[in-house]
Amino acid sequence: MKRRHLLSAATALGTAPLAWAQAAYPNKPLRLLVPFPAGGATDILARTVSQKLGERLGTTVVVENRPGAGGTIGSDLVAKAAPDGYTLLLATSSTHAIGPALNPRLPYDPVHDFSPIAQVGLAPSIMLVPNSSPAHTVQEWIQHARRNPGRLNYASSGNGTIVQLTAELFKAQAGLFVVHIPYKGTALAIPDLVSGKLDVLFDSLPTGLPHVRDGRLRALGVTTLKRSPLVPELPPIADVLPGFESTTWFGLYGPKGLPADLQTRLNTATQQALADPEVRDKLARLGIEGVTGSPAQFAALVAADAAKWKKIIVERKITGD
């Protein structure tokens, strides 16, 4: 009897430190790595969400920029970090859905080397045409392109970018022959689109919409499946091409092996942070819709997105060069 009591006491003492450590999480600041330069949309999003996330967790969330190699350097650092919940990654479509298809020799596995925590948001694109275009709707532009195979062009922000992939997805679903003209960023393409040298551009909402609002360009549709609350006046391209969707998603990851209880804790705190009106307002001004869900829902989103872009990349022989 005495021995059983001693064993019970020993067991309780042995598990107490572990239970205390889990209950005490977090007991120091968290690092949120952004694999892109400071000042961009991903960085601003991270700094917007990190403050409220820290408040919900009762600690500080420090944002660190680790840019390079299209997001690979920062992502790899998190993949190789300890799965203790103190090192997180703000990933995007390019790091975990597009990049792996363009570069199969990444130093990490985008699925097996990370623990999904939560989607944070999505940014739609809009279909832009010059004011001189004869098309005023998506359907009219498709008909215009079909009447002029190989005579129309589209601009992108470079080979292998979401801008090119969106246009190629559009071409594939509509059955069009439209010539690709890559630029080093969509900002450089805008003057040629305004002048009519270019025929169409699928630009991100925050960079493209101001040119529509000031009357320099015409927007025909948005790339979300349904009308976006960010631009409710624009019809979805999916109304004409069923199932058409192209958005840049943002999401939180931890290293592989992150304990389930920490995943849940971080997911709950993220959802609470995104529910904050101040956060949602700041994200909307960035052209990002705050969207979240469970870790499983986030993983399913990434898997579907990766499969879609890999199919387009392979079929269209797209490279990042």
Coordinates of all heavy atoms in Angstrom, one line a residue, residues 51-99:
Q51 N 0.2 42.0 -33.3 CA 0.0 42.7 -32.0 C -1.2 42.1 -31.3 O -1.2 41.8 -30.1 CB -0.3 44.2 -32.3 CG -0.6 45.0 -31.1 CD -0.9 46.5 -31.4 OE1 -0.8 46.9 -32.5 NE2 -1.4 47.2 -30.4
K52 N -2.3 41.9 -32.0 CA -3.5 41.3 -31.4 C -3.3 39.9 -31.0 O -3.9 39.4 -30.1 CB -4.7 41.4 -32.4 CG -5.1 42.9 -32.7 CD -5.6 43.6 -31.4 CE -6.0 45.0 -31.8 NZ -6.5 45.8 -30.5
L53 N -2.5 39.1 -31.8 CA -2.2 37.8 -31.5 C -1.5 37.7 -30.2 O -1.8 36.8 -29.3 CB -1.4 37.1 -32.6 CG -1.0 35.7 -32.5 CD1 -2.2 34.8 -32.4 CD2 0.0 35.2 -33.6
G54 N -0.5 38.6 -30.0 CA 0.3 38.6 -28.8 C -0.6 38.9 -27.6 O -0.5 38.3 -26.5
E55 N -1.6 39.8 -27.8 CA -2.5 40.2 -26.7 C -3.3 39.0 -26.3 O -3.6 38.8 -25.1 CB -3.4 41.3 -27.1 CG -2.7 42.7 -27.3 CD -3.7 43.8 -27.8 OE1 -4.9 43.5 -27.9 OE2 -3.2 44.9 -28.1
R56 N -3.8 38.2 -27.3 CA -4.6 37.0 -27.0 C -3.8 35.9 -26.3 O -4.3 35.2 -25.5 CB -5.2 36.5 -28.3 CG -6.1 37.4 -29.0 CD -7.3 37.8 -28.2 NE -8.2 38.8 -28.8 CZ -9.3 39.3 -28.3 NH1 -9.6 39.0 -27.1 NH2 -10.0 40.2 -29.0
L57 N -2.5 35.9 -26.6 CA -1.6 34.9 -26.0 C -1.0 35.3 -24.7 O -0.4 34.5 -23.9 CB -0.5 34.4 -27.0 CG -1.0 33.7 -28.2 CD1 0.2 33.6 -29.2 CD2 -1.5 32.3 -27.9
G58 N -1.1 36.6 -24.4 CA -0.4 37.2 -23.2 C 1.1 37.3 -23.3 O 1.8 37.1 -22.3
T59 N 1.6 37.6 -24.5 CA 3.0 37.7 -24.7 C 3.2 38.7 -25.9 O 2.3 39.3 -26.4 CB 3.7 36.4 -25.0 OG1 5.1 36.6 -24.9 CG2 3.3 35.8 -26.3
T60 N 4.5 38.8 -26.3 CA 4.8 39.6 -27.4 C 5.1 38.7 -28.6 O 5.8 37.7 -28.5 CB 6.1 40.5 -27.1 OG1 5.8 41.3 -26.0 CG2 6.4 41.4 -28.3
V61 N 4.7 39.1 -29.8 CA 5.0 38.4 -31.0 C 5.9 39.3 -31.8 O 5.5 40.4 -32.3 CB 3.7 38.1 -31.8 CG1 4.1 37.4 -33.1 CG2 2.8 37.2 -31.0
V62 N 7.1 38.9 -32.0 CA 8.2 39.7 -32.7 C 8.2 39.3 -34.1 O 8.5 38.1 -34.4 CB 9.5 39.6 -32.0 CG1 10.6 40.4 -32.8 CG2 9.5 40.0 -30.5
V63 N 8.0 40.3 -35.0 CA 8.1 40.0 -36.5 C 9.5 40.1 -37.0 O 10.2 41.2 -36.7 CB 7.1 40.9 -37.3 CG1 7.3 40.7 -38.8 CG2 5.7 40.7 -36.8
E64 N 10.0 39.1 -37.6 CA 11.3 39.1 -38.2 C 11.3 38.9 -39.7 O 10.6 37.9 -40.2 CB 12.2 38.0 -37.6 CG 12.5 38.2 -36.1 CD 13.5 37.2 -35.6 OE1 14.2 36.5 -36.4 OE2 13.5 36.9 -34.4
N65 N 11.9 39.8 -40.5 CA 11.9 39.6 -41.9 C 13.2 38.8 -42.3 O 14.3 39.2 -42.0 CB 12.0 41.0 -42.6 CG 10.7 41.8 -42.4 OD1 10.7 42.6 -41.4 ND2 9.7 41.6 -43.2
R66 N 12.9 37.7 -43.0 CA 14.0 36.9 -43.5 C 13.8 36.6 -45.0 O 13.4 35.5 -45.4 CB 14.1 35.5 -42.7 CG 14.5 35.7 -41.3 CD 15.8 36.3 -41.1 NE 16.2 36.4 -39.7 CZ 17.0 35.5 -39.1 NH1 17.4 34.4 -39.8 NH2 17.3 35.6 -37.8
P67 N 14.0 37.7 -45.8 CA 13.7 37.5 -47.2 C 14.8 36.8 -48.0 O 15.9 36.6 -47.5 CB 13.6 39.0 -47.7 CG 14.6 39.7 -46.8 CD 14.4 39.0 -45.5
G68 N 14.5 36.4 -49.2 CA 15.4 35.8 -50.1 C 14.9 34.5 -50.8 O 14.1 33.8 -50.2
A69 N 15.3 34.3 -52.0 CA 15.0 33.1 -52.8 C 13.5 32.9 -52.9 O 13.0 31.8 -52.7 CB 15.7 31.9 -52.2
G70 N 12.7 34.0 -53.1 CA 11.3 33.8 -53.2 C 10.6 33.3 -52.0 O 9.5 32.7 -52.1
G71 N 11.1 33.6 -50.8 CA 10.5 33.2 -49.6 C 11.1 31.9 -49.1 O 10.7 31.4 -48.0
T72 N 12.0 31.3 -49.8 CA 12.6 30.0 -49.4 C 13.4 30.1 -48.1 O 13.3 29.2 -47.2 CB 13.4 29.4 -50.5 OG1 12.6 29.2 -51.7 CG2 14.0 28.1 -50.1
I73 N 14.2 31.1 -48.0 CA 15.1 31.2 -46.8 C 14.4 31.3 -45.5 O 14.7 30.5 -44.6 CB 16.1 32.5 -47.0 CG1 17.0 32.2 -48.2 CG2 16.8 32.7 -45.7 CD1 17.9 33.4 -48.5
G74 N 13.4 32.2 -45.4 CA 12.7 32.3 -44.2 C 11.9 31.1 -43.9 O 11.7 30.6 -42.7
S75 N 11.3 30.5 -44.9 CA 10.5 29.3 -44.7 C 11.3 28.1 -44.2 O 10.9 27.3 -43.3 CB 9.8 28.9 -46.0 OG 8.9 29.9 -46.5
D76 N 12.5 28.0 -44.7 CA 13.4 26.9 -44.3 C 13.9 27.1 -42.9 O 14.0 26.1 -42.2 CB 14.7 26.9 -45.3 CG 15.5 25.7 -45.1 OD1 14.9 24.5 -45.0 OD2 16.8 25.8 -45.0
L77 N 14.0 28.3 -42.4 CA 14.4 28.5 -41.0 C 13.3 28.0 -40.1 O 13.6 27.4 -39.1 CB 14.6 30.0 -40.8 CG 15.9 30.6 -41.3 CD1 15.9 32.1 -41.2 CD2 17.1 30.0 -40.6
V78 N 12.1 28.2 -40.4 CA 11.0 27.7 -39.6 C 10.9 26.2 -39.7 O 10.6 25.5 -38.7 CB 9.7 28.4 -40.0 CG1 8.5 27.8 -39.2 CG2 9.7 29.9 -39.7
A79 N 11.1 25.6 -40.9 CA 11.0 24.2 -41.1 C 12.0 23.5 -40.2 O 11.8 22.3 -39.7 CB 11.3 23.8 -42.5
K80 N 13.1 24.1 -39.9 CA 14.2 23.5 -39.1 C 14.2 23.9 -37.7 O 15.1 23.6 -36.9 CB 15.6 23.7 -39.8 CG 15.7 23.0 -41.1 CD 17.0 23.4 -41.8 CE 17.2 22.5 -43.1 NZ 16.2 22.6 -44.0
A81 N 13.2 24.7 -37.2 CA 13.2 25.2 -35.9 C 12.6 24.2 -34.9 O 11.9 23.2 -35.4 CB 12.3 26.5 -35.8
A82 N 12.8 24.4 -33.6 CA 12.2 23.5 -32.6 C 10.7 23.6 -32.6 O 10.1 24.7 -32.7 CB 12.7 23.8 -31.3
P83 N 9.9 22.5 -32.6 CA 8.4 22.6 -32.6 C 7.9 22.9 -31.2 O 7.1 22.1 -30.6 CB 8.1 21.2 -33.0 CG 9.1 20.3 -32.5 CD 10.4 21.1 -32.6
D84 N 8.3 24.0 -30.6 CA 7.9 24.4 -29.3 C 6.8 25.5 -29.3 O 6.4 26.0 -28.2 CB 9.1 24.8 -28.4 CG 9.9 25.9 -29.1 OD1 9.5 26.5 -30.1 OD2 11.0 26.2 -28.6
G85 N 6.4 26.0 -30.5 CA 5.4 27.0 -30.5 C 5.9 28.4 -30.4 O 5.2 29.4 -30.4
Y86 N 7.3 28.6 -30.4 CA 7.9 29.9 -30.3 C 8.4 30.4 -31.6 O 8.8 31.6 -31.7 CB 9.0 29.9 -29.2 CG 8.4 29.8 -27.8 CD1 8.4 28.5 -27.2 CD2 7.9 30.9 -27.2 CE1 7.8 28.4 -25.9 CE2 7.3 30.8 -25.9 CZ 7.3 29.5 -25.3 OH 6.8 29.4 -24.0
T87 N 8.4 29.6 -32.7 CA 8.9 30.1 -34.0 C 7.8 29.8 -35.0 O 7.4 28.6 -35.2 CB 10.2 29.4 -34.4 OG1 11.2 29.6 -33.4 CG2 10.7 30.0 -35.7
L88 N 7.2 30.8 -35.6 CA 6.1 30.6 -36.5 C 6.5 31.3 -37.9 O 7.4 32.1 -38.0 CB 4.8 31.3 -36.0 CG 4.4 30.9 -34.6 CD1 3.2 31.7 -34.2 CD2 4.1 29.4 -34.5
L89 N 5.8 30.9 -38.9 CA 6.0 31.4 -40.3 C 4.7 32.0 -40.8 O 3.6 31.3 -40.7 CB 6.5 30.3 -41.2 CG 6.6 30.6 -42.7 CD1 7.7 31.5 -42.9 CD2 6.7 29.3 -43.5
L90 N 4.7 33.2 -41.4 CA 3.6 33.7 -42.2 C 3.9 33.3 -43.6 O 4.7 34.0 -44.3 CB 3.4 35.2 -42.0 CG 2.2 35.7 -42.7 CD1 0.9 35.1 -42.1 CD2 2.1 37.2 -42.5
A91 N 3.3 32.3 -44.1 CA 3.5 31.8 -45.4 C 2.5 32.3 -46.4 O 1.5 32.9 -46.0 CB 3.4 30.3 -45.4
T92 N 2.7 32.2 -47.7 CA 1.8 32.6 -48.7 C 1.7 31.6 -49.8 O 2.4 30.6 -49.8 CB 2.3 33.9 -49.4 OG1 3.5 33.6 -50.2 CG2 2.7 35.0 -48.4
S93 N 0.8 31.8 -50.8 CA 0.7 30.9 -51.9 C 2.0 30.6 -52.6 O 2.3 29.5 -53.0 CB -0.3 31.5 -52.9 OG -1.5 31.9 -52.4
S94 N 2.9 31.6 -52.7 CA 4.1 31.5 -53.4 C 5.1 30.6 -52.7 O 5.8 29.8 -53.3 CB 4.8 32.8 -53.7 OG 5.1 33.5 -52.5
T95 N 5.1 30.5 -51.4 CA 6.0 29.7 -50.6 C 5.6 28.2 -50.5 O 6.4 27.3 -50.5 CB 6.3 30.2 -49.2 OG1 5.0 30.2 -48.5 CG2 6.8 31.6 -49.2
H96 N 4.3 28.0 -50.5 CA 3.8 26.6 -50.2 C 2.9 26.0 -51.3 O 2.5 24.9 -51.2 CB 3.1 26.6 -48.9 CG 4.0 26.6 -47.7 ND1 4.9 27.6 -47.4 CD2 4.2 25.6 -46.8 CE1 5.6 27.2 -46.3 NE2 5.2 26.1 -45.9
A97 N 2.5 26.8 -52.3 CA 1.7 26.2 -53.3 C 2.3 26.4 -54.7 O 2.3 25.4 -55.5 CB 0.3 26.9 -53.3
I98 N 2.8 27.6 -55.0 CA 3.4 27.8 -56.3 C 4.9 27.4 -56.4 O 5.4 26.7 -57.3 CB 3.2 29.3 -56.7 CG1 1.7 29.6 -56.9 CG2 3.9 29.6 -58.0 CD1 1.4 31.1 -57.0
G99 N 5.7 27.9 -55.4 CA 7.1 27.7 -55.4 C 7.5 26.2 -55.5 O 8.4 25.9 -56.3

